[in-house]
Amino acid sequence: MRQLRTKTIIQSQFIRQQAQYSSMASTETKAIGFIGLGQMGFHMAKHLRAKSKEPFIVFDMNKDVALKFKSENSNVSIATSPADLASQASVIVTALPESTHVKQAYLGEDGVIKGISKGVLCIDSSTIDNSVSIDVSKQIIAAGGRAVDAPISGGIMGAQAATLTFMVGSQNTTDFERAKVHLAKMGKNVVHCGELGAGQAAKICNNLLLAISMIGVAEAMNLGIRLGLDPTVLASIVNTSSGRCWSSDTANPVPNVIATAPSSKDYDGGFKSRLMLKDLGLVSNAAKQSKTPLLLGALSENIYRMISNDSAMAEKDFSVVYKWIANSQTK
């Protein structure tokens, strides 16, 4: 009798395991979905598609961009909505500008959770409000999916070269490891920062420093030029000295110092100033919630607010702060 009961238990466990394996295999054979083919997302999706064997499905509010992506990449289909995409995918990556776009994509009338299946992994690479990120992730999980926040650093140049850094927050290491497989195809560094929302926290701290350093490089370069220094010579000194940083050696804000920098392309093709202002707003919100003083951060936010009040400069790369400073005349 005892042997029969033991045999029954073993058989039940085997059946459950087989069902789990069958469900996992069914999920993993579905497509990879990508929502948000903007300046960053287009390049990210291109690398992910090229390095993945699964069918690829995309969605963007701009239908022309989605059609362009399909025409340039094989084995790609276009979803009619985020919900439609979710019904066909085992993994979904989103790269969207702001919190409202993320909430709409996931929780809207035709949002992802309306079409999501059990176990589908949602990777949000948008930079949004930490509390919104956590809330959206929890609603995805409540709907049967899995979720990680994975904001990115490296800019458009990093997206083009697949050298991005992903800062990941997850509920467990299993979700992180599963996401890492796909993130590694779009970047070179994938870092587990902690619980849900930790990726967003790391990202806004990085962008706070990025804004401050860009303003500092712009101000120093402007001073040197006004003192008669050749900007290329000054930049070479900074980049072999203690002032060196990404804002000086990769994205130098002075035109023609670095040929590949947005500043040498009329400040086009980079991280828009209005988006930097948006991120500094996220920094300000987080600082208030955590009762953290912001000195240079508050000043940086004010500077990018003034820059963004100029409709033309607002759409330019945030290194345009050099042009804004250079045009300022001290009495």
Side-chain angles (χ1 to χ4, degrees):
M1 190 72 175
R2 185 178 300 170
Q3 289 178 336
L4 180 61
R5 193 160 47 242
T6 301
K7 183 178 180 180
T8 301
I9 292 171
I10 292 173
Q11 287 176 333
S12 297
Q13 291 175 337
F14 177 78
I15 291 171
R16 283 198 299 270
Q17 288 176 343
Q18 288 298 104
Q20 289 175 348
Y21 294 148
S22 176
S23 175
M24 185 178 296
S26 174
T27 300
E28 294 302 331
T29 55
K30 295 173 74 175
I32 294 175
F34 202 105
I35 300 174
L37 300 172
Q39 287 186 307
M40 295 289 291
F42 195 96
H43 300 294
M44 291 166 61
K46 184 176 181 179
H47 287 295
L48 183 58
R49 169 67 202 98
K51 300 171 186 176
S52 302
K53 296 180 180 179
E54 298 90 339
F56 208 81
I57 182 167
V58 299
F59 177 80
D60 194 278
M61 292 297 291
N62 186 331
K63 295 181 180 179
D64 290 338
V65 171
L67 287 170
K68 182 177 186 293
F69 185 86
K70 182 179 179 179
S71 70
E72 295 180 4
N73 299 274
S74 61
N75 198 23
V76 173
S77 58
I78 300 174
T80 58
S81 68
D84 176 44
L85 181 144
S87 69
Q88 304 176 59
S90 60
V91 175
I92 300 168
V93 181
T94 48
L96 300 164
E98 300 183 21
S99 297
T100 53
H101 302 112
V102 172
K103 288 194 288 186
Q104 183 64 28
Y106 281 102
L107 311 178
E109 186 176 343
D110 293 315
V112 166
I113 64 170
K114 297 295 177 65
I116 202 170
S117 301
K118 185 176 181 181
V120 171
L121 177 64
C122 297
I123 304 170
D124 182 33
S125 289
S126 315
T127 299
I128 61 173
D129 188 271
N130 185 267
S131 61
V132 172
S133 177
I134 294 172
D135 178 61
V136 170
S137 292
K138 287 183 176 179
Q139 292 200 51
I140 291 168
I141 293 169
R146 302 304 305 167
V148 302
D149 52 287
I152 48 188
S153 180
I156 291 176
M157 290 183 286
Q160 291 172 332
T163 57
L164 296 169
T165 291
F166 290 91
M167 295 151 274
V168 185
S170 67
Q171 200 171 56
N172 54 56
T173 55
T174 300
D175 290 343
F176 168 70
E177 292 297 337
R178 189 177 167 200
K180 186 177 180 181
V181 172
H182 304 284
L183 296 175
K185 296 174 182 178
M186 300 179 282
K188 67 175 182 179
N189 298 305
V190 183
V191 184
H192 190 210
C193 300
E195 296 290 326
L196 290 173
Q200 294 292 348
K203 175 58 190 293
I204 62 172
C205 289
N206 178 78
N207 274 24
L208 167 62
L209 183 57
L210 177 61
I212 293 169
S213 67
M214 182 58 81
I215 294 169
V217 171
E219 192 167 72
M221 293 296 294
N222 182 59
L223 175 61
I225 291 168
R226 289 194 180 188
L227 292 175
L229 291 171
D230 181 290
T232 303
V233 173
L234 177 56
S236 68
I237 293 169
V238 170
N239 292 333
T240 54
S241 304
S242 56
R244 181 180 182 179
C245 60
W246 184 87
S247 295
S248 67
D249 70 5
T250 301
N252 196 287
V254 179
N256 304 317
V257 168
I258 297 177
T260 55
S263 60
S264 297
K265 303 171 185 176
D266 194 27
Y267 299 98
D268 289 329
F271 183 54
K272 295 180 180 180
S273 294
R274 63 176 175 82
L275 294 179
M276 176 55 84
L277 176 61
K278 181 266 294 185
D279 284 2
L280 290 170
L282 299 177
V283 169
S284 180
N285 290 340
K288 290 175 183 176
Q289 291 171 5
S290 60
K291 298 181 179 179
T292 303
L294 282 182
L295 304 177
L296 296 179
L299 178 59
S300 298
E301 184 179 11
N302 285 335
I303 288 173
Y304 277 103
R305 180 174 291 109
M306 287 186 282
I307 290 172
S308 296
N309 285 337
D310 182 316
S311 59
M313 280 192 171
E315 298 301 315
K316 297 293 187 178
D317 179 74
F318 76 109
S319 62
V320 78
V321 65
Y322 166 76
K323 185 176 180 180
W324 182 81
I325 289 173
N327 289 341
S328 300
Q329 186 69 44
T330 302
K331 294 181 179 180

